[in-house]
Amino acid sequence: MIRVGIVGITGYTGEELLKILSKHPNVKITGLYGRVLSQERYLRDVYLHFAYLDLKIKPFDTRQIANSCDVVFLALPHAVAFEIVPQLLDASIKVIDLSADFRLRSIEAYKKWYKITHTAKEYINQAVYGLSELNSNDIKNASLIANPGCYPTTVALGCAPAIKNSFVDLKGIIIDSKSGISGAGRKSAQEYFAVEHPNFKAYKIAGEHRHIPEIEQELSILSKEGVTISFTPHIMPVERGMFSTIYVNLKKTVATSEIIEKYREFYKSRQFVKILDEDVMPGIKDVVNTNYCKIGMKVDDRTNRLVVVSAIDNLVKGASGQAVQNMNIMFDLPETIGLI
């Protein structure tokens, strides 16, 4: 059994991790930790729906974790992992970090977009970007996984086959994305449902969103040249689900059916990416509470542009589910175990 710890259990992603891992047949949960907790609390006092689990949430303690865990998931705010990750790696614990702290290769980019100086930069090169479908070989041998952001997951999976097959012009990529309010965190979600619901709005437009450098980094790695995107995120009046519509110009005239065939070939061994039939588009109801990414597409013959629609559950494939998928790869288990 894999001995698993979760640090940051009281947020959306921590809760989702516990939901998945508590039913994983190869996992024993040996530690739940609160970052700012001063004394133990029973899990059932925080989450009534986990009353069937006789577990306590404990204050963070590296020595205790080192003696009880093989892998630790960090479901923490940005910049908190700077101190924790070195402690865990020095104790030979595998780490899957769900924050953005080790996603960006450039510390200058991190400082620019997150307004924080990176204080664990020597660990950036150790981190493997945990996009399971594209980086599984590196994930398998990693000790530190930088779990991808939710928006970047929809975009990278939606774009990768087109970029790798050289269908598209990398200039002028436009991404229009929508997220359930849980993507903003539990506190923001509570405020939204108390005050704004059922509002629908764009936010951080015109190059202001922190996921832009992550998306550009990963598309640049795929294409082996610099990529600049236009990205507009929106909040939907639902708790969870994520939906990205991606517009890319084609280099030549290509039929939708041919592109679909290339996408299916690209993902043929990846069970969590489903390429839909021509003229079939995904909705968030098709993916909520699953680890699937469902992708539909169509060529706009009038503009010679490919339109790709990519849908996930932002808390599962966009966060905790993909984190568990990465754990499965790291421990040489079937990727789907505990997730289907």
Side-chain angles (χ1 to χ4, degrees):
M1 299 290 279
I2 303 168
R3 301 176 302 162
V4 171
I6 303 171
V7 182
I9 191 62
T10 58
Y12 269 121
T13 55
E15 180 184 5
E16 197 70 27
L17 278 166
L18 184 56
K19 186 189 301 182
I20 297 168
L21 291 167
S22 65
K23 299 176 183 178
H24 194 298
N26 294 78
V27 160
K28 180 179 181 181
I29 298 172
T30 53
L32 301 178
Y33 302 93
R35 177 174 61 94
V36 295
L37 201 66
S38 59
Q39 58 185 11
E40 291 185 356
R41 296 182 64 186
Y42 279 102
L43 176 65
R44 60 177 174 267
D45 292 336
V46 178
Y47 294 118
L48 184 60
H49 56 282
F50 286 130
Y52 65 93
L53 295 174
D54 187 24
L55 295 171
K56 290 182 179 180
I57 305 174
K58 303 176 182 179
F60 179 78
D61 185 326
T62 305
R63 288 175 297 178
Q64 186 178 78
I65 292 173
N67 292 327
S68 63
C69 298
D70 301 309
V71 61
V72 171
F73 294 86
L74 302 182
L76 298 167
H78 306 314
V80 177
F82 293 161
E83 181 179 353
I84 293 175
V85 163
Q87 294 178 38
L88 295 175
L89 293 179
D90 287 348
S92 299
I93 307 298
K94 294 181 184 292
V95 178
I96 300 174
D97 180 26
L98 279 76
S99 81
D101 289 347
F102 297 93
R103 293 176 191 159
L104 300 182
R105 302 291 94 190
S106 166
I107 57 171
E108 291 80 14
Y110 186 91
K111 184 174 182 178
K112 174 183 176 181
W113 290 89
Y114 289 87
K115 313 303 181 187
I116 301 168
T117 298
H118 205 295
T119 59
K121 59 185 180 181
E122 64 270 28
Y123 291 88
I124 289 175
N125 289 334
Q126 293 185 36
V128 171
Y129 188 73
L131 192 57
S132 307
E133 283 71 23
L134 302 185
N135 298 330
S136 59
N137 289 337
D138 292 331
I139 291 167
K140 187 175 296 186
N141 299 312
S143 294
L144 172 60
I145 298 295
N147 214 61
C150 43
Y151 284 127
T153 294
T154 64
V155 176
L157 293 178
C159 288
I163 290 175
K164 285 296 189 179
N165 283 282
S166 301
F167 281 134
V168 296
D169 184 347
L170 297 174
K171 295 179 181 178
I173 296 176
I174 298 172
I175 302 159
D176 182 290
S177 295
K178 284 90 174 171
S179 174
I181 190 61
S182 58
R186 193 181 296 280
K187 181 179 178 181
S188 295
Q190 289 171 342
E191 292 173 355
Y192 171 86
F193 284 113
V195 178
E196 290 195 65
H197 184 73
N199 197 14
F200 186 111
K201 62 183 181 180
Y203 69 105
K204 293 188 181 296
I205 67 171
E208 294 184 352
H209 197 279
R210 290 173 172 178
H211 278 160
I212 288 174
E214 184 181 341
I215 294 170
E216 291 181 343
Q217 171 184 279
E218 295 310 306
L219 296 188
S220 297
I221 290 171
L222 284 165
S223 63
K224 298 182 180 178
E225 60 181 278
V227 175
T228 301
I229 62 167
S230 292
F231 175 69
T232 302
H234 304 74
I235 289 294
M236 296 185 288
V238 296
E239 183 179 27
R240 59 201 297 162
M242 179 164 285
F243 191 95
S244 288
T245 305
I246 306 159
Y247 303 86
V248 287
N249 295 317
L250 292 167
K251 290 181 178 179
K252 59 182 181 180
T253 301
V254 187
T256 301
S257 58
E258 182 180 345
I259 298 178
I260 288 174
E261 184 179 339
K262 293 293 186 182
Y263 268 67
R264 286 178 171 163
E265 176 65 23
F266 188 89
Y267 289 123
K268 65 181 179 181
S269 63
R270 318 308 305 199
Q271 295 186 57
F272 286 120
V273 179
K274 301 296 183 183
I275 307 304
L276 304 182
D277 292 339
E278 190 169 349
D279 293 324
V280 178
M281 297 296 152
I284 59 170
K285 281 189 175 181
D286 301 320
V287 292
V288 164
N289 293 312
T290 80
N291 196 54
Y292 288 106
C293 175
K294 293 194 176 182
I295 299 172
M297 67 201 71
K298 189 172 180 65
V299 172
D300 183 344
D301 295 320
R302 190 175 61 84
T303 61
N304 199 39
R305 183 176 290 135
L306 174 64
V307 182
V308 179
V309 177
S310 177
I312 64 171
D313 184 319
N314 57 294
L315 293 178
V316 189
K317 185 59 175 168
S320 304
Q322 183 151 239
V324 174
Q325 187 178 354
N326 286 328
M327 181 200 72
N328 288 339
I329 296 170
M330 295 170 82
F331 287 89
D332 202 27
L333 297 171
E335 289 184 38
T336 58
I337 196 164
L339 293 165
I340 292 180

